[in-house]
Coordinates of all heavy atoms in Angstrom, one line a residue:
L53 N -11.4 11.1 -6.2 CA -10.7 10.3 -7.2 C -9.3 9.8 -6.6 O -9.1 8.6 -6.8 CB -10.3 11.3 -8.4 CG -9.4 10.7 -9.4 CD1 -10.2 9.5 -10.1 CD2 -9.0 11.6 -10.4
E54 N -8.6 10.6 -5.8 CA -7.5 10.0 -5.1 C -7.8 8.9 -4.1 O -7.1 7.9 -4.0 CB -6.7 11.1 -4.5 CG -6.0 12.0 -5.5 CD -5.3 13.2 -4.7 OE1 -6.1 14.0 -4.1 OE2 -4.1 13.1 -4.7
A55 N -8.8 9.0 -3.5 CA -9.3 8.0 -2.5 C -9.6 6.7 -3.2 O -9.1 5.7 -2.7 CB -10.5 8.5 -1.7
R56 N -10.4 6.8 -4.2 CA -10.7 5.6 -5.0 C -9.4 4.9 -5.8 O -9.3 3.7 -5.7 CB -11.8 6.0 -6.1 CG -13.1 6.2 -5.7 CD -14.0 6.5 -6.8 NE -15.4 6.8 -6.3 CZ -16.2 7.6 -7.0 NH1 -16.0 8.0 -8.1 NH2 -17.5 7.7 -6.4
R57 N -8.6 5.7 -6.2 CA -7.3 5.2 -6.8 C -6.5 4.6 -5.7 O -6.0 3.5 -5.9 CB -6.5 6.4 -7.3 CG -5.3 6.0 -8.1 CD -4.5 7.1 -8.7 NE -5.5 7.8 -9.8 CZ -5.3 9.1 -9.8 NH1 -4.6 10.0 -9.0 NH2 -6.1 9.7 -10.7
A58 N -6.3 5.1 -4.4 CA -5.5 4.5 -3.4 C -6.2 3.2 -3.1 O -5.6 2.2 -2.7 CB -5.5 5.3 -2.2
Y59 N -7.5 3.1 -2.9 CA -8.3 1.9 -2.6 C -8.1 0.9 -3.5 O -7.8 -0.4 -3.1 CB -9.8 2.2 -2.3 CG -10.5 1.1 -1.8 CD1 -10.2 0.7 -0.4 CD2 -11.5 0.4 -2.5 CE1 -10.8 -0.5 0.1 CE2 -12.1 -0.9 -2.0 CZ -11.8 -1.2 -0.6 OH -12.5 -2.2 -0.2
R60 N -8.1 1.1 -4.7 CA -7.9 0.3 -5.9 C -6.6 -0.3 -5.9 O -6.3 -1.6 -6.0 CB -8.3 0.7 -7.4 CG -9.6 0.9 -7.6 CD -10.0 1.1 -9.1 NE -9.1 2.3 -9.5 CZ -9.7 3.5 -9.7 NH1 -10.9 3.8 -9.3 NH2 -8.9 4.5 -10.1
C61 N -5.6 0.5 -5.7 CA -4.3 0.1 -5.6 C -4.0 -0.9 -4.3 O -3.3 -1.9 -4.4 CB -3.2 1.2 -5.5 SG -1.6 0.9 -5.6
F62 N -4.7 -0.6 -3.3 CA -4.6 -1.5 -2.1 C -5.0 -2.8 -2.4 O -4.6 -3.8 -2.0 CB -5.3 -0.7 -0.8 CG -5.5 -1.7 0.3 CD1 -4.4 -1.9 1.2 CD2 -6.7 -2.3 0.7 CE1 -4.5 -2.7 2.4 CE2 -6.7 -3.2 1.7 CZ -5.7 -3.4 2.5
L63 N -6.2 -2.8 -3.1 CA -6.9 -4.1 -3.5 C -6.0 -4.9 -4.3 O -6.0 -6.2 -4.1 CB -8.2 -3.9 -4.0 CG -9.3 -3.3 -3.1 CD1 -10.7 -3.1 -4.0 CD2 -9.6 -4.3 -1.9
K64 N -5.4 -4.3 -5.2 CA -4.4 -5.0 -6.2 C -3.3 -5.7 -5.4 O -2.9 -6.8 -5.6 CB -3.8 -4.1 -7.2 CG -4.8 -3.8 -8.4 CD -3.9 -2.9 -9.3 CE -4.8 -2.6 -10.6 NZ -4.0 -1.8 -11.5
E65 N -2.8 -4.8 -4.4 CA -1.5 -5.4 -3.7 C -2.1 -6.5 -2.8 O -1.5 -7.6 -2.6 CB -1.0 -4.4 -2.9 CG -0.1 -3.5 -3.8 CD 0.7 -2.4 -3.0 OE1 0.8 -2.5 -1.8 OE2 1.2 -1.6 -3.8
A66 N -3.3 -6.4 -2.2 CA -3.9 -7.4 -1.3 C -4.2 -8.6 -2.1 O -4.0 -9.6 -1.7 CB -5.1 -6.8 -0.6
K67 N -4.6 -8.5 -3.3 CA -4.8 -9.7 -4.2 C -3.7 -10.5 -4.4 O -3.6 -11.8 -4.4 CB -5.5 -9.3 -5.5 CG -6.0 -10.4 -6.3 CD -6.7 -9.8 -7.5 CE -7.2 -11.2 -8.5 NZ -7.8 -10.6 -9.6
V68 N -2.5 -9.8 -4.6 CA -1.1 -10.5 -5.0 C -0.9 -11.3 -3.8 O -0.4 -12.4 -3.9 CB -0.3 -9.5 -5.3 CG1 1.3 -10.2 -5.4 CG2 -0.4 -9.0 -6.7
V69 N -1.0 -10.8 -2.5 CA -0.7 -11.5 -1.4 C -1.5 -12.7 -1.1 O -1.1 -13.7 -0.8 CB -0.8 -10.6 -0.1 CG1 -0.7 -11.3 1.2 CG2 0.2 -9.5 -0.2
T70 N -2.8 -12.4 -1.5 CA -3.9 -13.6 -1.3 C -3.6 -14.7 -2.3 O -3.6 -15.8 -1.9 CB -5.3 -13.1 -1.5 OG1 -5.5 -12.0 -0.5 CG2 -6.3 -14.0 -1.3
E71 N -3.3 -14.4 -3.4 CA -3.0 -15.5 -4.5 C -1.8 -16.3 -4.0 O -1.8 -17.5 -4.1 CB -2.7 -14.8 -5.8 CG -4.0 -14.3 -6.5 CD -3.7 -13.6 -7.7 OE1 -2.5 -13.5 -8.1 OE2 -4.6 -13.3 -8.3
S72 N -0.7 -15.7 -3.5 CA 0.5 -16.4 -3.1 C 0.2 -17.3 -1.9 O 0.7 -18.4 -1.8 CB 1.7 -15.6 -2.8 OG 1.3 -14.7 -1.7
E73 N -0.7 -16.7 -1.0 CA -1.1 -17.6 0.1 C -1.9 -18.9 -0.2 O -1.9 -19.9 0.4 CB -1.8 -16.8 1.1 CG -0.9 -15.7 1.9 CD -1.6 -14.8 2.8 OE1 -2.9 -14.9 2.8 OE2 -1.0 -14.1 3.5
N74 N -2.6 -18.8 -1.3 CA -3.7 -19.8 -1.7 C -2.9 -20.9 -2.6 O -3.6 -21.8 -2.9 CB -4.7 -19.2 -2.5 CG -5.7 -18.4 -1.4 OD1 -5.8 -18.7 -0.2 ND2 -6.4 -17.5 -1.9
K75 N -1.7 -20.7 -2.9 CA -1.1 -21.8 -3.6 C -1.0 -23.1 -2.9 O -0.7 -23.0 -1.8 CB 0.4 -21.3 -4.0 CG 0.4 -20.2 -5.2 CD 1.7 -19.9 -5.6 CE 1.7 -18.8 -6.6 NZ 3.1 -18.3 -6.9
P76 N -1.2 -24.1 -3.6 CA -1.1 -25.4 -2.9 C 0.2 -25.7 -2.4 O 1.2 -25.4 -3.3 CB -1.6 -26.4 -3.9 CG -1.8 -25.7 -5.1 CD -1.6 -24.4 -4.9
Q77 N 0.5 -26.2 -1.3 CA 1.7 -26.4 -0.7 C 2.1 -28.0 -1.0 O 1.2 -28.8 -1.0 CB 1.8 -26.2 0.8 CG 1.5 -24.7 1.1 CD 1.7 -24.5 2.7 OE1 1.9 -25.4 3.3 NE2 1.6 -23.3 3.1
K78 N 3.4 -28.1 -1.3 CA 3.8 -29.5 -1.5 C 3.8 -30.5 -0.3 O 4.3 -29.8 0.8 CB 5.2 -29.5 -2.2 CG 5.3 -28.9 -3.6 CD 6.7 -28.9 -4.2 CE 6.7 -28.3 -5.4 NZ 8.1 -28.2 -6.0
V79 N 3.3 -31.6 -0.4 CA 3.4 -32.4 0.8 C 4.6 -33.2 0.7 O 4.9 -33.8 -0.2 CB 2.0 -33.4 0.7 CG1 2.1 -34.4 1.8 CG2 0.8 -32.5 0.6
K80 N 5.2 -33.3 1.8 CA 6.6 -33.9 1.9 C 6.2 -35.4 2.4 O 5.4 -35.7 3.2 CB 7.3 -33.4 3.1 CG 8.8 -33.5 3.0 CD 9.4 -32.7 4.1 CE 10.9 -32.6 4.0 NZ 11.5 -31.8 4.9
K81 N 6.8 -36.3 1.6 CA 6.6 -37.7 1.9 C 7.5 -38.1 3.0 O 8.7 -37.8 3.1 CB 7.0 -38.5 0.6 CG 5.9 -38.2 -0.5 CD 6.2 -39.3 -1.7 CE 5.2 -39.0 -2.9 NZ 5.4 -39.9 -3.9
T82 N 7.0 -39.0 3.9 CA 7.8 -39.4 5.1 C 7.5 -40.9 5.1 O 6.7 -41.6 4.4 CB 7.2 -38.8 6.3 OG1 5.8 -39.1 6.5 CG2 7.3 -37.3 6.3
K83 N 8.2 -41.5 6.0 CA 8.3 -42.9 6.2 C 7.0 -43.3 7.0 O 6.4 -42.4 7.7 CB 9.4 -43.5 7.2 CG 10.7 -43.2 6.4 CD 11.9 -43.7 7.4 CE 13.3 -43.4 6.7 NZ 14.4 -43.7 7.5
P84 N 6.4 -44.4 6.9 CA 5.2 -44.9 7.5 C 5.5 -44.7 8.9 O 6.4 -45.1 9.5 CB 4.9 -46.2 7.0 CG 5.6 -46.4 5.7 CD 6.8 -45.5 5.9
G85 N 4.5 -44.3 9.7 CA 4.6 -44.1 11.2 C 5.3 -43.0 11.7 O 5.4 -42.7 12.9
V86 N 5.9 -42.1 10.9 CA 6.6 -40.7 11.2 C 5.5 -39.7 11.1 O 4.9 -39.5 10.1 CB 7.8 -40.6 10.2 CG1 8.4 -39.2 10.6 CG2 8.7 -41.6 10.6
I87 N 5.4 -39.0 12.3 CA 4.6 -37.9 12.3 C 5.4 -36.6 12.2 O 6.5 -36.4 12.9 CB 3.7 -37.8 13.6 CG1 2.9 -39.1 13.7 CG2 2.9 -36.6 13.6 CD1 2.2 -39.3 15.1
T88 N 5.2 -35.6 11.2 CA 5.8 -34.4 11.2 C 4.9 -33.2 11.4 O 3.7 -33.3 11.4 CB 6.4 -34.3 9.7 OG1 5.4 -34.3 8.8 CG2 7.3 -35.4 9.5
G89 N 5.4 -32.1 11.7 CA 4.7 -31.0 11.9 C 4.1 -30.8 13.2 O 3.1 -30.0 13.5
V90 N 4.3 -31.8 14.2 CA 3.7 -31.7 15.5 C 4.8 -31.6 16.5 O 5.8 -32.3 16.5 CB 2.9 -33.2 15.7 CG1 2.2 -33.3 17.1 CG2 1.9 -33.3 14.7
D91 N 4.4 -30.8 17.5 CA 5.3 -30.7 18.6 C 5.3 -31.9 19.6 O 4.2 -32.2 20.1 CB 5.2 -29.5 19.4 CG 5.7 -28.2 18.7 OD1 6.4 -28.3 17.8 OD2 5.0 -27.0 18.9

Side-chain angles (χ1 to χ4, degrees):
L53 178 64
E54 286 178 294
R56 287 180 178 157
R57 186 178 298 144
Y59 186 69
R60 279 194 309 267
C61 189
F62 172 79
L63 290 177
K64 276 185 183 179
E65 287 184 9
K67 184 176 181 183
V68 169
V69 170
T70 302
E71 287 175 356
S72 66
E73 288 176 354
N74 288 336
K75 287 183 181 177
Q77 296 182 1
K78 292 182 180 178
V79 177
K80 205 174 189 182
K81 292 185 179 180
T82 61
K83 295 178 184 176
V86 176
I87 300 172
T88 60
V90 179
D91 288 335

